[in-house]
Amino acid sequence: MAKNTPKKTTSIYLYIPNIIGYIRIFVNCYAFAQCLNDKKLFVVLYFISFVLDGLDGWCARKFNQVSTLGAVLDMVVDRVSTNSLLVILSQYYSPGLFFLAFLGLDISSHWIQMYSTFLSGKASHKDVKDSNYWLLKTYYGNRIFMAYCCIAAEVFYLILYFIANNQSNSLIDVMINAVRHNSLVRFPLILSMIGWATKQIINVIQIKTSADACVLYDINRKQKP
């Protein structure tokens, strides 16, 4: 049995969804290497990585190649790419703390959710059927709604990145100016901002429910003889 372990391990590394995850890492590395020089190229590459994010999930289900490595890799790549973009935006706009605050919220929400998932013995962090919050259950239970919130958040950040200049301008002033004077940006910016705001509310709820799960785990552990 021990002799077969390396072969089985290697085969999981070579799952199609995991290979897509490796490709995303290289795409993101090149994208962020060019983010200060070529905005159009960065947006295209970032969008390609985002499309691949959806493709790896489809491949995992299609070819029955769901793995813990794939789930962790997918979340890590998502968080690193999104939060790297937030760091860039914090340099383009004032107050930069606005973006850094949501960077912290994003990391905290997903980390504590994953940790509480393992403590609870659940197979997936998306298993929230026992939650008391309908918004959280709708988010993880409805793929269309979840896709809208995730895509909207990324589009919102990408629009802010694309319309920014090299100076640290007021975020509110830039957004108001874009809505008033840029008809191409107006509708996507408003629509994506709604989805982005919804996702931030979900992140807060996720922290609360995950913290409750951690507390419940401690209580149950102390009550055991």
Side-chain angles (χ1 to χ4, degrees):
M1 183 178 295
K3 294 182 179 179
N4 295 330
T5 301
K7 185 176 181 180
K8 291 181 179 179
T9 301
T10 302
S11 66
I12 293 176
Y13 278 115
L14 296 179
Y15 276 3
I16 295 176
N18 296 343
I19 292 176
I20 293 176
Y22 309 147
I23 295 174
R24 289 186 65 205
I25 292 175
F26 287 110
V27 170
N28 282 330
C29 286
Y30 186 69
F32 281 100
Q34 301 297 319
C35 67
L36 300 179
N37 303 319
D38 192 335
K39 284 189 174 183
K40 290 182 180 179
L41 177 61
F42 173 81
V43 171
V44 170
L45 292 174
Y46 195 94
F47 181 76
I48 290 175
S49 176
F50 195 75
V51 172
L52 291 175
D53 181 29
L55 181 62
D56 68 0
W58 180 85
C59 288
R61 295 184 295 271
K62 176 69 175 180
F63 301 106
N64 192 27
Q65 292 185 341
V66 177
S67 66
T68 302
L69 172 64
V72 173
L73 180 64
D74 180 63
M75 178 171 287
V76 169
V77 176
D78 286 347
R79 303 282 61 78
V80 171
S81 57
T82 299
N83 291 310
S84 295
L85 180 54
L86 285 170
V87 171
I88 294 173
L89 291 175
S90 72
Q91 302 304 305
Y92 279 139
Y93 293 100
S94 61
L97 183 60
F98 174 85
F99 297 101
L100 298 180
F102 286 106
L103 182 156
L105 175 63
D106 185 68
I107 293 177
S108 302
S109 172
H110 288 84
W111 187 88
I112 194 172
Q113 173 75 349
M114 287 293 291
Y115 193 79
S116 65
T117 296
F118 287 116
L119 288 179
S120 303
K122 296 180 179 179
S124 171
H125 68 281
K126 297 180 181 180
D127 183 1
V128 294
K129 58 179 177 293
D130 55 348
S131 174
N132 295 323
Y133 296 90
W134 66 268
L135 185 59
L136 187 64
K137 290 193 288 188
T138 302
Y139 179 75
Y140 283 114
N142 188 312
R143 289 187 179 275
I144 296 178
F145 180 64
M146 183 179 183
Y148 162 67
C149 292
C150 292
I151 294 174
E154 298 295 336
V155 170
F156 178 66
Y157 292 142
L158 285 176
I159 291 176
L160 292 180
Y161 163 79
F162 196 75
I163 64 177
N165 54 40
N166 294 326
Q167 299 177 350
S168 180
N169 290 327
S170 168
L171 173 62
I172 296 178
D173 291 342
V174 172
M175 289 181 62
I176 292 176
N177 184 66
V179 171
R180 286 180 176 177
H181 305 293
N182 194 329
S183 58
L184 293 177
V185 170
R186 183 183 303 124
F187 180 72
L189 182 61
I190 294 175
L191 184 63
S192 63
M193 185 168 60
I194 295 173
W196 166 83
T198 303
K199 194 172 188 301
Q200 307 317 307
I201 295 173
I202 292 171
N203 281 340
V204 173
I205 294 174
Q206 192 164 261
I207 289 178
K208 176 61 169 61
T209 56
S210 299
D212 289 342
C214 291
V215 171
L216 182 61
Y217 174 82
D218 283 335
I219 293 175
N220 292 336
R221 185 178 59 176
K222 290 180 180 179
Q223 289 179 345
K224 289 182 179 180

